Amino acid sequence: MANIKGNQDGPNNRNETYDIGERKNVPKGQVVQEVKDGVHSGYHIYEINGQEYVRDNPDESVTDNVNRAEI
């Protein structure tokens, strides 16, 4: 399973595109639909102000968070 990483490339650092393994700059709507379709286990959708985003399921790891800090 490839990790999903938010690119924080929208206004106020919102994720408009995501990198998924070797796939770069995948549009938010496509990634949201893939998560809804069960393509990416370990992730879920959350909604803020009517916009849907991808979020990593909670665990103890920091390195697999969608908006992880660069190490």
Side-chain angles (χ1 to χ4, degrees):
M1 172 180 72
N3 285 334
I4 297 174
K5 179 181 178 261
N7 290 325
Q8 299 176 336
D9 53 350
N12 298 317
N13 291 324
R14 291 187 298 236
N15 294 317
E16 295 299 326
T17 64
Y18 295 82
D19 292 345
I20 306 170
E22 298 296 318
R23 298 168 53 203
K24 304 300 181 195
N25 300 313
V26 181
K28 175 178 64 174
Q30 181 177 342
V31 179
V32 165
Q33 190 59 54
E34 289 177 6
V35 171
K36 287 180 176 181
D37 291 344
V39 174
H40 305 287
S41 63
Y43 295 89
H44 63 277
I45 302 303
Y46 72 104
E47 186 175 323
I48 296 177
N49 298 325
Q51 293 288 315
E52 294 179 311
Y53 296 92
V54 175
R55 181 174 279 173
D56 187 84
N57 290 346
D59 62 21
E60 299 296 320
S61 174
V62 173
T63 60
D64 69 348
N65 291 338
V66 171
N67 287 340
R68 59 191 162 274
E70 294 299 324
I71 297 174

